[in-house]
Amino acid sequence: MALAYDQQTVQARSSGVNSLQQTTGQAVDAGDLIVVGVGIFNVTAGAPTVTDDASQTYTEAIRNDPGGPEVGIFYVANHPGGTIKVTVNPAGASADIDFTVSEISGAATSGALDKTATNAGTGTTPNVSTGVLAQANEIIFAIMTHEGSSQALTPDGTYTQVGENENNASGQCYNHQYKIVADTASDQADWTTAASVPWHTACATFKEAAGGATKAHPALMAGPAAWCP
């Protein structure tokens, strides 16, 4: 089965909360990859905990936490399936939280995570590069946030946006996007902000499941004498 982006749930943002859970259950298929892109503003250092009510704890693929605004990508490969609600619990309390839950079919059920990277700068062109991929046919998730006042955020035209909050007053602003690629070349995810701001980005790539070998017909394996009249 080829990689496919099946669905996403964009969680309504919340400001100054101890944790945030999806308000509506999301039905996911057994064996699929679930990826959660998180944007948080938190003065307490430390990684958030991401769980769901199918008793799954999500692995941190990558997190960019300069202190204050942070972004991260968390995942479960080979999910048992069912209707789930994801919960994000930040370190400490009273954090601004936004997150997006994505379901991907056709991903590797073990060893799915390939490349991760972070980047940071100041300006209007946030970006992050994957580095050379381990195999063709991977899905790239890229996420960004910024400091300062609310900004219009424009995603990369070669990616598909799956989650965004441009308002830094109602949650921690973020933009989350993905792309499925067919070769191993390094790929750069880009964004544009309306004004110059300090920005922070992260990306993670996940592998397609290996295809099964095609079996030859027994007669052909036996050689010409087995099938020639």
Side-chain angles (χ1 to χ4, degrees):
M1 178 188 295
L3 273 173
Y5 189 96
D6 289 355
Q7 63 172 324
Q8 87 273 0
T9 297
V10 181
Q11 172 59 42
R13 60 202 62 91
S14 288
S15 179
V17 295
N18 295 336
S19 68
L20 184 62
Q21 184 183 62
Q22 287 177 267
T23 55
T24 303
Q26 179 171 333
V28 300
D29 296 326
D32 280 358
L33 169 70
I34 311 300
V35 175
V36 181
V38 179
I40 293 177
F41 184 88
N42 191 1
V43 296
T44 303
T49 301
V50 181
T51 58
D52 68 29
D53 49 9
S55 301
Q56 299 300 296
T57 298
Y58 288 65
T59 300
E60 179 185 309
I62 188 70
R63 190 166 59 93
N64 191 344
D65 181 6
E70 64 178 90
V71 286
I73 298 172
F74 297 77
Y75 73 99
V76 168
N78 196 21
H79 195 280
T83 299
I84 62 171
K85 292 181 180 179
V86 170
T87 299
V88 174
N89 284 295
S94 192
D96 301 337
I97 308 171
D98 297 81
F99 65 87
T100 305
V101 181
S102 297
E103 179 186 8
I104 300 91
S105 57
T109 56
S110 63
L113 181 64
D114 183 17
K115 300 298 184 181
T116 61
T118 61
N119 198 10
T122 298
T124 61
T125 56
N127 61 83
V128 62
S129 295
T130 63
V132 176
L133 306 181
Q135 66 177 50
N137 302 324
E138 296 197 16
I139 187 168
I140 303 168
F141 284 94
I143 191 167
M144 63 83 65
T145 190
H146 67 78
E147 302 174 38
S149 61
S150 300
Q151 302 287 326
L153 307 176
T154 304
D156 189 317
T158 68
Y159 280 68
T160 299
Q161 176 179 298
V162 294
E164 179 185 72
N165 175 20
E166 295 183 342
N167 189 340
N168 243 346
S170 63
Q172 179 54 35
C173 65
Y174 79 123
N175 186 284
H176 188 38
Q177 55 187 8
Y178 84 93
K179 175 196 282 188
I180 295 176
V181 293
D183 59 49
T184 61
S186 179
D187 193 89
Q188 179 171 297
D190 298 289
W191 297 264
T192 303
T193 60
S196 179
V197 288
W199 50 262
H200 315 283
T201 61
C203 70
T205 78
F206 298 89
K207 303 172 187 175
E208 182 180 70
T214 302
K215 292 184 178 180
H217 190 281
L220 296 178
M221 294 174 65
W227 54 267
C228 285

